Amino acid sequence: MTISPHLTGPGGEFSPQALLDALRESGTTALAEALGDLAVLLRELAGDPGAVFELEGRARGDFTHLLGTLQECLGALDALEARSVVALRDITRRERYAAARDQAAHESAAEPSRTVSDETADRITTQDVSLITRRSPHRAGRTVASAQRLVETLPRMLTAMRTGQIGSDAAYAVADAASVLDPDLAREVDRELGERLADFDGAGTRRWRDAVATLAGALDPDGEKIRHRRARAQRHVTMTPGKHGMATVSARVPALEARQIHKQLSLEAERRRSKGGRQGHGALMADAFLDTFLSRGDGTRAPLTLELGVIITDRALFRPDVGDAAHLEGYGAVPVEAVREQLRAATTEPKDPADDPFGKAGPAVRTVFRRLYMHPTSGELVAMDATSREFPAAMKRFLTWRDTSCRGPYCNASLRHCDHIVPVSRGGPTSLVNGEWLCVRCNAKELSAASVERSEGTDGSTHRVVWTGHSGVRRTTTPTPLLWETAPRPRNTPTEEGPAKENLLEENLPGEDSASATSATSATSATSATSATSATERSTEEHLLEETAPGEAAAPERPLAEELSADDPEDAGPPGEVTGDDGPPGPRR
């Protein structure tokens, strides 16, 4: 590693003060070079530490001192990142406005709106921050906004983070909580918190947020009413996928009602425990929550009339030892055990019609299997084309099965818009290869990204999408494979038309009408009767493209699972259904 010529004194000397003065005078290039040199050194130490972490001859205090020093470095880097993000936003705004004025030939009557220009520039900044820092677009947007507040209206919190008095999570929690405050009130809150840093030495982010709300209410009691009404208007419900086939359903509601709901569930759990329930208190609360929404008054589950898609291999459905995962529409991968018994019960007609969980409508809403096909090496679902600009309803549904969440880089939002990767205006076809599901934010890619294009992978996959930001950073997104091959498995014999496709079964839970059920069954029969892969694909394609009858209104641009609730405010803008676990804004530690 060599010392950058930007970082030495006038006489070529090297000292801490000379380095600091040189960095301040030389600007961003010198700082980037210095940090790059340091990053090389730290990467090498992390990969091959040598004797750094050997225990012989060292005391515990040596490692606590090292850990504390690392935290001080992180705080300083977080403060530098906040300033860098704000500077990037400001220079992007300046350049975009200058470009818009040049395009308008500096005519005052044709000059663009500064507000519109800044909004476009902020989209570009957010996209670049997302691509560079590998954060979701939503989290990147919150980081940009919080960094602005730290630099411009919360200088004491920025200083405390820089000097290691508080962690970056606390600083960004304050900035996030101050988002509803006007700048002058935010500065007053910052001053009050700066004078009370000693009282918050061991405070968590929850207490910091509470402190912001308390101080804002005390300093501006009239404005507190307005802020509460504004927050109340943002009520929503979200579903966050969890681990091992579990998920979290959360509702943003007024605090009083939320506490009443929690208390009522707790009391119901205690009642169940008193009657012999052996599960934990939290598990009994969750059971009471489910029974409240999904049960009849007599405690039995009411028949569902919602439609959800489950994609599962035939071998996983009938052989528990295979290990293939199932894919739940609007969620992602789930253990087969979580859905196998429900699928079997839903597809098997009971001996006694009185035992049919769907009642008299059982035969009409019985689960219908549809045959799908995946690529033999990449695991992607195969494609089909359409001639219209609007994606047909069946093609949208097929894309929903393939894209379980927004295909934007690092985005965890729910699906909202079926988008052409290459726009129709540039000759892009309406096909699975050129289609992808995006959230509201990522669907504005023509404004926020420099380019979005499709590329082919070395494994034969055809749906790798490359996003390039205005910074030049490139990120590639791919659909989630239906199967992750962990060991070589025998394949079907390839045909002359191409490699054989593995057969998947897709299940639609109750809610599908008898007409679509008949259509689906016919398609399955047609594909089963054809031995050649190409003929099978053509039969499947014809069925999926013709599922929407002529003259029938096209389905809205949202997956079927989104009928459960609205959009996700966390990742996709308006309130929503599925959200990723993004966490707070700011640096990811």
Side-chain angles (χ1 to χ4, degrees):
M1 183 180 71
T2 59
I3 299 298
S4 169
H6 294 287
L7 308 182
T8 56
E13 74 278 6
F14 177 78
S15 67
Q17 187 59 48
L19 174 62
L20 181 60
D21 293 339
L23 287 174
R24 284 172 172 164
E25 293 176 3
S26 302
T28 57
T29 301
L31 178 58
E33 289 181 358
L35 291 176
D37 291 342
L38 180 61
V40 171
L41 185 147
L42 293 177
R43 281 199 300 268
E44 293 299 320
L45 277 176
D48 182 12
V52 173
F53 296 105
E54 291 184 1
L55 304 183
E56 190 66 30
R58 289 188 172 85
R60 186 174 183 275
D62 296 336
F63 295 101
T64 58
H65 176 66
L66 174 62
L67 186 59
T69 303
L70 288 172
Q71 290 304 307
E72 291 179 4
C73 293
L74 290 177
L77 287 173
D78 291 339
L80 281 175
E81 182 189 83
R83 292 188 179 278
S84 299
V85 166
V86 173
L88 176 63
R89 183 210 62 178
D90 291 343
I91 197 170
T92 305
R93 285 182 172 184
R94 188 183 70 183
E95 291 180 352
R96 293 293 297 185
Y97 186 69
R101 289 195 64 194
D102 290 342
Q103 189 174 3
H106 294 280
E107 295 181 8
S108 57
E111 279 192 9
S113 165
R114 190 61 187 254
T115 301
V116 174
S117 176
D118 287 351
E119 288 177 354
T120 303
D122 289 350
R123 285 180 180 272
I124 294 174
T125 300
T126 298
Q127 186 72 61
D128 282 342
V129 170
S130 173
L131 296 176
I132 293 171
T133 64
R134 300 179 186 271
R135 298 170 181 150
S136 74
H138 160 69
R139 191 164 184 263
R142 292 178 64 189
T143 297
V144 172
S146 294
Q148 175 190 352
R149 286 188 286 272
L150 282 172
V151 172
E152 297 178 356
T153 60
L154 303 171
R156 289 173 177 80
M157 293 297 100
L158 182 65
T159 299
M161 178 174 67
R162 171 179 63 83
T163 57
Q165 294 175 279
I166 62 175
S168 62
D169 56 346
Y172 274 89
V174 171
D176 192 45
S179 62
V180 297
L181 310 181
D182 62 72
D184 291 336
L185 181 58
R187 292 186 183 93
E188 292 186 48
V189 171
D190 177 63
R191 177 177 54 78
E192 293 289 340
L193 290 176
E195 295 174 356
R196 293 175 168 84
L197 285 179
D199 298 334
F200 290 90
D201 186 47
T205 56
R206 181 175 177 177
R207 188 179 169 196
W208 280 105
R209 291 176 182 276
D210 185 68
V212 172
T214 302
L215 288 172
L219 293 169
D220 183 22
D222 294 334
E224 182 64 18
K225 298 177 183 178
I226 299 175
R227 290 189 291 272
H228 174 69
R229 294 194 192 102
R230 188 181 303 160
R232 185 184 177 90
Q234 298 175 355
R235 303 183 303 277
H236 61 268
V237 176
T238 60
M239 189 274 285
T240 305
K243 300 177 181 179
H244 311 299
M246 303 298 286
T248 300
V249 176
S250 58
R252 184 179 179 86
V253 296
L256 180 59
E257 285 82 350
R259 189 66 187 94
Q260 289 174 337
I261 293 172
H262 188 272
K263 183 66 174 179
Q264 185 170 342
L265 291 174
S266 180
L267 292 175
E268 175 62 19
E270 290 295 337
R271 186 186 68 80
R272 297 188 181 198
R273 285 288 292 270
S274 67
K275 290 189 174 182
R278 301 180 63 86
Q279 295 89 348
H281 185 79
L284 290 174
M285 288 179 67
D287 292 343
F289 176 82
L290 290 176
D291 291 342
T292 300
F293 291 98
L294 302 179
S295 296
R296 297 189 181 98
D298 57 4
T300 60
R301 288 288 175 92
L304 293 174
T305 57
L306 301 174
E307 182 175 335
L308 298 175
V310 176
I311 303 177
I312 182 173
T313 62
D314 50 357
R315 60 190 181 194
L317 182 60
F318 300 108
R319 287 182 53 196
D321 59 334
V322 170
D324 296 344
H327 289 256
L328 178 63
E329 182 181 354
Y331 176 92
V334 295
V336 172
E337 191 62 33
V339 297
R340 182 189 290 114
E341 292 306 318
Q342 294 184 38
L343 294 183
R344 286 181 174 175
T347 56
T348 304
E349 248 183 89
K351 295 181 179 179
D352 185 357
D355 297 333
D356 194 327
F358 307 126
K360 295 180 180 180
V365 299
R366 188 71 57 202
T367 300
V368 176
F369 285 102
R370 291 181 179 170
R371 188 181 299 270
L372 305 177
Y373 298 89
M374 70 177 188
H375 194 282
T377 57
S378 67
E380 298 175 7
L381 295 180
V382 296
M384 70 277 195
D385 294 324
T387 57
S388 63
R389 174 176 181 142
E390 175 74 15
F391 284 90
M395 190 179 288
K396 289 181 182 179
R397 184 162 185 174
F398 201 89
L399 285 168
T400 302
W401 297 330
R402 189 195 65 194
D403 300 338
T404 55
S405 63
C406 174
R407 286 291 300 277
Y410 311 111
C411 190
N412 304 309
S414 56
L415 312 178
R416 288 293 295 148
H417 295 290
C418 200
D419 179 67
H420 293 80
I421 299 172
V422 179
V424 175
S425 59
R426 289 168 42 198
T430 300
S431 66
L432 283 185
V433 172
N434 192 48
E436 63 179 351
W437 276 105
L438 297 176
C439 67
V440 174
R441 184 193 298 270
C442 292
N443 192 40
K445 64 183 190 302
E446 286 80 11
L447 296 177
S448 59
S451 68
V452 179
E453 55 191 4
R454 186 179 60 83
S455 67
E456 294 189 9
T458 56
D459 60 352
S461 60
T462 60
H463 211 269
R464 299 165 64 88
V465 182
V466 180
W467 293 62
T468 304
H470 288 266
S471 62
V473 175
R474 294 162 59 90
R475 297 287 184 248
T476 302
T477 67
T478 60
T480 302
L482 300 181
L483 295 180
W484 292 93
E485 295 290 352
T486 55
R489 296 184 180 182
R491 298 283 184 185
N492 297 332
T493 303
T495 67
E496 295 181 358
E497 300 292 335
K501 306 287 192 297
E502 286 202 21
N503 177 20
L504 298 179
L505 294 176
E506 188 277 332
E507 180 272 339
N508 299 306
L509 291 180
E512 183 162 6
D513 58 27
S514 56
S516 61
T518 303
S519 176
T521 306
S522 301
T524 304
S525 301
T527 56
S528 300
T530 308
S531 57
T533 302
S534 60
T536 302
E537 291 180 357
R538 285 196 299 272
S539 178
T540 306
E541 174 182 341
E542 290 169 2
H543 160 64
L544 289 174
L545 290 176
E546 294 173 2
E547 184 173 296
T548 303
E552 181 180 350
E557 289 200 354
R558 58 188 297 155
L560 295 174
E562 289 199 7
E563 298 300 330
L564 297 176
S565 61
D567 288 336
D568 173 22
E570 298 299 327
D571 275 4
E577 172 227 348
V578 182
T579 176
D581 188 9
D582 265 353
R588 185 180 311 220
R589 301 297 181 214

